[in-house]
Amino acid sequence: RINKPILVKRKELIINLKKIHISIDIPNFLINLTYLNCSYKNISKIPNTLINLTYLNCLCSKITEIPNTFINLTYLDVSGNNLTSIPKQIKFLTNLINFKCSKNKLTQLCEDNESIKYLTKLEVYICEENNLIEIPESIKYLKNLKHFSCYNNKITTICSNFEFIGYLNNLTYLDISFNKIICVPEYIYT
């Protein structure tokens, strides 16, 4: 029989809610949390006090906003949440390496199309199956980008802004298929 609670000090705390049926918001007191998988949960808000998070998977949750205090975040998946925009505050997530925002209702990569240029460590950017109409020129600042997929959107032209490809020396995968592209610049074929 234990009469008092056992306290364990840990440097890192990992919580995976994947197989737990939960429909509450994450409590604020988990400040040391570094890994959070709340995919397919009825969680609408992640507290901005979780400043030590490095991994956040909110696939098909009920997330409506992305806190800008997660400065240590390297992995973020907000796919399937019916987001209509990625807030310009994303520019504060400067350690982000892998960002997935597919199957939402996005019409722009970011609220102001300029804030993504601050994600200079980004290597994987997946924004498939949204309502994107263009790829903003600011994407050229993502010098470490290796994998960019925006297939099945509503992009119609890449004539004026496709020059970004020349700036992305590390890009090895680009998928712009299943869009409504009617104009492709000639230099793409050379």
Side-chain angles (χ1 to χ4, degrees):
R1 184 173 165 181
I2 299 173
N3 291 332
K4 48 185 176 174
I6 297 174
L7 295 175
V8 178
K9 286 190 173 190
R10 293 186 172 194
K11 284 185 173 183
E12 185 175 290
L13 180 60
I14 296 174
I15 293 184
N16 186 345
L17 300 175
K18 196 170 188 176
K19 294 187 179 191
I20 297 173
H21 298 288
I22 188 168
S23 61
I24 59 167
D25 288 337
I26 305 297
N28 280 328
F29 65 83
L30 296 172
I31 193 159
N32 290 325
L33 192 65
T34 57
Y35 180 104
L36 179 59
N37 184 347
C38 55
S39 56
Y40 297 98
K41 301 296 168 228
N42 192 19
I43 295 173
S44 60
K45 188 175 181 182
I46 306 293
N48 60 4
T49 55
L50 302 178
I51 58 173
N52 292 311
L53 274 182
T54 58
Y55 180 99
L56 178 57
N57 186 346
C58 298
L59 173 68
C60 295
S61 297
K62 303 287 183 188
I63 298 298
T64 56
E65 62 185 54
I66 303 168
N68 62 3
T69 55
F70 299 159
I71 57 172
N72 296 310
L73 209 58
T74 59
Y75 180 95
L76 176 61
D77 190 345
V78 291
S79 299
N81 281 292
N82 290 320
L83 295 174
T84 54
S85 68
I86 301 296
K88 59 185 173 187
Q89 287 81 5
I90 195 149
K91 68 182 175 186
F92 298 111
L93 307 182
T94 56
N95 288 309
L96 204 57
I97 294 171
N98 194 320
F99 182 41
K100 298 177 181 179
C101 56
S102 298
K103 295 183 180 182
N104 282 293
K105 296 177 181 176
L106 305 175
T107 56
Q108 298 176 302
L109 287 182
C110 190
E111 209 170 54
D112 64 357
N113 269 344
E114 286 296 314
S115 295
I116 61 168
K117 72 181 180 185
Y118 298 100
L119 306 179
T120 56
K121 294 182 182 176
L122 198 64
E123 294 179 9
V124 176
Y125 198 166
I126 301 176
C127 50
E128 304 159 345
E129 299 182 49
N130 279 292
N131 295 317
L132 300 175
I133 55 173
E134 69 174 346
I135 300 170
E137 187 178 331
S138 58
I139 201 165
K140 70 182 180 186
Y141 296 102
L142 305 180
K143 302 287 186 192
N144 290 309
L145 194 63
K146 295 176 183 174
H147 182 113
F148 181 55
S149 181
C150 58
Y151 82 80
N152 201 12
N153 277 283
K154 296 181 179 179
I155 300 168
T156 57
T157 181
I158 54 175
C159 285
S160 61
N161 64 356
F162 206 68
E163 292 177 6
F164 75 83
I165 200 82
Y167 293 91
L168 302 175
N169 294 329
N170 292 316
L171 192 66
T172 57
Y173 182 88
L174 173 65
D175 189 349
I176 54 173
S177 61
F178 296 100
N179 278 287
K180 300 177 181 190
I181 298 170
I182 53 176
C183 181
V184 178
E186 285 186 31
Y187 60 85
I188 259 200
Y189 302 109
T190 57

